[in-house]
Amino acid sequence: MKNKWILFIASRYILKGRSNSPVLAILGIATGVLALIVIIAVMNGFQLGFIESILEISSYHLRTESFSEDKINDLRDKLLEIKGVKAAVPFKEFHALARGRRSGQQAVFARGLEGKTLEIDTGMAEKLFFEAGSFDIYNEKNILLGIELSRRLGLAIGDEVTLFSITGILSANEEDSGLDTFIITGIFRTDFYEYDSSWVILNIDAQVFNVNESGLKMGIKLDNRFNDRHVLDAAVKSISGLPWYVNINISSWRDYNRSFFGALRTEKLFMFILVGLIFLVVGLNIFQAQRRSVLQRSEEIGLLRAIGGNKNAVRFVFVCDGAIIGFTGASIGFISGLLIASNISDFFLLIENIVNFFINILNILSKFLGMGWTDNFSVFSPAVFYLKEIPSRILPAEVIIIFLFGFLSSLAAAWIASGKVINIEPAEVLRYE
């Protein structure tokens, strides 16, 4: 209770200050926190969307290779016994050329799956959206096409598509040409352009896989993909004791996506650093303002020291100023950043409407001057970006770190700037007063 005067004087210095520096500092911190939360949330939306599409549709969390087809059920049962394994899906794959009856041809990536895959693999079911048809590959002559691929080839549900195996084309044996015709039963969308423009999915038992001698693999989904190392070790121990185990290879999503995920992580780190420079600039502003405040209030500091305030208590007055500025600015930026990041599509729509309002005014004025102007503005135009809406993903740990950055940058600047208080002696300051 005896130190309540510290907070009282600190608040008086802010509210009754001689300049608008506290307001500018608060706005600077709020802007930095808001910008960093929104930018990181949008970046998380893009990056995690890509990562989850890759892991849920293509690469899986773990995968096994080098086992025979007659051991599929035995291997799957053994893997599902391991704690943390959610699903085990066998698959085959090869590269081919796809051609419609009245259209050109396109290089594609063919993935062979079981007809019941979506019932087993709920993660893939959540990422695979059907624009037409359904996941109907129970028949060996049925096939699913990505939506962009179907547009390029001009194909729709019920049309025929012919696959030319690249391995078969290079083969001298005409009987193994790898040519087969399928009926389109589904057109899917993943929101990942590479898959939508080049993937086809068909039954794992289709004859075309035998021609290509496609190796059988098992994709493994986990409850938590970050437990991959632990589950991988458990899987190796579990299947290494099987009598038919012969060098079955098990790999993690970290291994076969290392370069891509590493690039995303580096990109996010550098974006964090660049936007975080806002806090450095604001911290320097607070440092200069607090140092100037110490010099301007030297008489008041001397008076506080003379009536019993020790050096640390008087210094803490200015540290409290920095804490109040930092906490207020970080809180404003934190709340507004979360509101914008949670409603990012509406926020960008508002910006577009405001910009387009002024563009329309300029278009009207330009007609009187006989000049052309420009089309409406769009932040994320579908003609440029392959997305239907702007993704945003808020991670609690990151927004807390951003809040602490804003708060601690102000606190540190105030602490450093208030160091001069220690050197002020009341007798020297008050000698001529």
Side-chain angles (χ1 to χ4, degrees), residues 206-274:
Q207 182 64 28
V208 69
F209 286 108
N210 297 329
V211 173
N212 282 273
E213 299 180 355
S214 302
L216 183 62
K217 303 174 185 178
M218 184 77 74
I220 304 169
K221 293 290 182 66
L222 309 180
D223 294 324
N224 183 355
R225 70 172 185 265
F226 297 105
N227 290 335
D228 55 309
R229 298 299 186 190
H230 174 73
V231 176
L232 189 149
D233 294 338
V236 171
K237 292 179 181 178
S238 178
I239 65 178
S240 60
L242 298 174
W244 45 268
Y245 171 80
V246 182
N247 297 324
I248 294 180
N249 179 43
I250 305 179
S251 55
S252 165
W253 63 272
R254 300 178 193 270
D255 299 325
Y256 42 76
N257 293 303
R258 180 175 301 174
S259 59
F260 179 71
F261 293 157
L264 292 181
R265 184 166 54 251
T266 302
E267 178 187 21
K268 184 175 180 180
L269 175 62
F270 276 96
M271 181 63 70
F272 210 104
I273 294 172
L274 289 174

Side-chain angles (χ1 to χ4, degrees), residues 380-401:
F380 285 95
S381 173
V384 179
F385 298 93
Y386 187 70
L387 48 83
K388 288 190 173 181
E389 62 181 13
I390 303 166
S392 177
R393 194 80 62 90
I394 300 172
L395 301 182
E398 291 183 351
V399 295
I400 291 174
I401 291 174

Side-chain angles (χ1 to χ4, degrees), residues 203-432:
N203 190 285
I204 194 171
D205 296 322
Q207 182 64 28
V208 69
F209 286 108
N210 297 329
V211 173
N212 282 273
E213 299 180 355
S214 302
L216 183 62
K217 303 174 185 178
M218 184 77 74
I220 304 169
K221 293 290 182 66
L222 309 180
D223 294 324
N224 183 355
R225 70 172 185 265
F226 297 105
N227 290 335
D228 55 309
R229 298 299 186 190
H230 174 73
V231 176
L232 189 149
D233 294 338
V236 171
K237 292 179 181 178
S238 178
I239 65 178
S240 60
L242 298 174
W244 45 268
Y245 171 80
V246 182
N247 297 324
I248 294 180
N249 179 43
I250 305 179
S251 55
S252 165
W253 63 272
R254 300 178 193 270
D255 299 325
Y256 42 76
N257 293 303
R258 180 175 301 174
S259 59
F260 179 71
F261 293 157
L264 292 181
R265 184 166 54 251
T266 302
E267 178 187 21
K268 184 175 180 180
L269 175 62
F270 276 96
M271 181 63 70
F272 210 104
I273 294 172
L274 289 174
V275 180
L277 291 176
I278 296 175
F279 298 129
L280 178 61
V281 175
V282 175
L284 290 174
N285 177 273
I286 294 173
F287 171 78
Q288 294 293 344
Q290 291 291 79
R291 189 172 67 169
R292 185 171 59 251
S293 178
V294 170
L295 295 175
Q296 291 174 345
R297 300 179 186 277
S298 58
E299 294 87 355
E300 298 175 19
I301 293 171
L303 180 60
L304 291 173
R305 292 288 310 283
I307 63 176
N310 59 48
K311 294 179 179 180
N312 290 330
V314 176
R315 182 180 187 181
F316 200 62
V317 170
F318 296 93
V319 175
C320 283
D321 276 353
I324 293 172
I325 292 172
F327 182 79
T328 304
S331 298
I332 294 173
F334 181 81
I335 296 172
S336 55
L338 290 181
L339 288 175
I340 293 175
S342 302
N343 303 276
I344 195 68
S345 296
D346 295 333
F347 174 72
F348 281 116
L349 181 61
L350 176 63
I351 292 177
E352 290 176 5
N353 289 336
I354 293 173
V355 174
N356 288 329
F357 172 76
F358 289 104
I359 288 177
N360 290 333
I361 293 176
L362 292 174
N363 280 333
I364 294 173
L365 294 175
S366 65
K367 290 180 180 179
F368 293 101
L369 300 176
M371 299 171 57
W373 191 244
T374 184
D375 296 329
N376 284 345
F377 168 77
S378 178
V379 178
F380 285 95
S381 173
V384 179
F385 298 93
Y386 187 70
L387 48 83
K388 288 190 173 181
E389 62 181 13
I390 303 166
S392 177
R393 194 80 62 90
I394 300 172
L395 301 182
E398 291 183 351
V399 295
I400 291 174
I401 291 174
I402 293 170
F403 175 86
L404 291 177
F405 273 1
F407 173 68
L408 294 178
S409 63
S410 175
L411 192 63
W415 173 262
I416 297 171
S418 63
K420 289 184 175 294
V421 172
I422 297 176
N423 300 324
I424 296 177
E425 295 296 335
E428 295 181 4
V429 173
L430 299 177
R431 179 176 299 170
Y432 302 105

Side-chain angles (χ1 to χ4, degrees), residues 94 96-102 139-145 155-156 158-165 177-185 200-203 205-209 211-212:
F94 71 97
L97 292 176
R99 186 176 68 186
R101 179 176 298 178
R102 297 179 300 276
N139 190 308
E140 295 180 14
K141 289 296 184 180
N142 291 352
I143 193 171
L144 314 176
L145 269 65
L155 300 174
D159 290 342
E160 292 185 350
V161 60
T162 302
L163 290 187
F164 297 85
S165 163
S177 62
L179 184 150
D180 206 350
T181 301
F182 300 87
I183 303 296
I184 300 174
T185 57
V200 299
I201 300 175
L202 52 157
N203 190 285
D205 296 322
Q207 182 64 28
V208 69
F209 286 108
V211 173
N212 282 273

Side-chain angles (χ1 to χ4, degrees), residues 32-216:
V33 172
L34 183 153
L36 198 51
I37 288 177
V38 172
I39 290 172
I40 295 299
V42 173
M43 180 170 284
N44 285 336
F46 280 109
Q47 291 189 352
L48 293 177
F50 292 151
I51 291 173
E52 290 171 0
S53 293
I54 291 172
L55 296 184
E56 298 296 346
I57 296 174
S58 176
S59 67
Y60 300 93
H61 300 150
L62 298 174
R63 62 165 65 180
T64 64
E65 302 178 26
S66 305
F67 61 94
S68 58
E69 294 196 22
D70 61 331
K71 302 299 182 183
I72 288 181
N73 293 328
D74 293 338
L75 178 60
R76 178 162 30 201
D77 293 340
K78 202 68 177 177
L79 291 171
L80 291 175
E81 293 175 359
I82 301 172
K83 184 178 180 180
V85 174
K86 183 170 62 174
V89 179
F91 67 94
K92 295 180 180 179
E93 54 192 17
F94 71 97
H95 293 277
L97 292 176
R99 186 176 68 186
R101 179 176 298 178
R102 297 179 300 276
S103 59
Q105 59 187 22
Q106 173 75 33
V108 299
F109 181 79
R111 170 66 63 90
L113 297 170
E114 295 178 322
K116 59 181 181 180
T117 295
L118 293 192
E119 301 173 12
I120 300 172
D121 188 355
T122 56
M124 184 177 186
E126 292 174 356
K127 291 294 180 179
L128 205 63
F129 309 100
F130 281 88
E131 298 290 328
S134 62
F135 193 87
D136 181 10
I137 53 171
Y138 287 96
N139 190 308
E140 295 180 14
K141 289 296 184 180
N142 291 352
I143 193 171
L144 314 176
L145 269 65
I147 184 170
E148 295 299 323
L149 178 61
S150 67
R151 289 172 180 169
R152 289 182 181 181
L153 298 179
L155 300 174
I157 296 295
D159 290 342
E160 292 185 350
V161 60
T162 302
L163 290 187
F164 297 85
S165 163
I166 294 178
T167 303
I169 293 174
L170 299 176
S171 174
N173 189 350
E174 294 183 359
E175 295 180 358
D176 294 335
S177 62
L179 184 150
D180 206 350
T181 301
F182 300 87
I183 303 296
I184 300 174
T185 57
I187 295 175
F188 63 84
R189 174 178 56 83
T190 65
D191 290 332
F192 193 69
Y193 186 76
E194 180 182 351
Y195 301 155
D196 292 348
S197 63
S198 62
W199 266 49
V200 299
I201 300 175
L202 52 157
N203 190 285
I204 194 171
D205 296 322
Q207 182 64 28
V208 69
F209 286 108
N210 297 329
V211 173
N212 282 273
E213 299 180 355
S214 302
L216 183 62

